[in-house]
Amino acid sequence: MRQEWEPEDLIEVWTLLEEDQERLRNKSGANRLGFALLLKFFEWWPGSRRTPGRFR
């Protein structure tokens, strides 16, 4: 995991795009915040991407 971040990198990784906001519309309160954090984390985390044959 990265130890040092530039402000531009943080903005790029953690900003919610329009499609992300669409996914959050039916969530409320703390659920919305938690879902948003997990969504952005798993988009960024290299181990979260599926590779062919990895999951069966």
Side-chain angles (χ1 to χ4, degrees):
M1 181 179 274
R2 289 176 67 171
Q3 298 293 321
E4 297 182 25
W5 291 79
E6 295 295 325
E8 296 81 17
D9 296 334
L10 289 171
I11 292 168
E12 181 180 336
V13 170
W14 294 101
T15 299
L16 292 171
L17 304 175
E18 183 63 34
E19 63 189 36
D20 300 329
Q21 292 176 17
E22 285 293 323
R23 292 182 179 122
L24 294 172
R25 295 216 195 280
N26 66 340
K27 310 289 186 271
S28 63
N31 288 337
R32 182 178 285 191
L33 175 60
F35 187 86
L37 288 171
L38 286 171
L39 177 68
K40 297 312 281 185
F41 174 79
F42 284 114
E43 284 179 0
W44 170 78
W45 186 255
S48 67
R49 290 175 178 75
R50 290 183 132 195
T51 56
R54 182 174 171 196
F55 299 102
R56 294 184 184 207

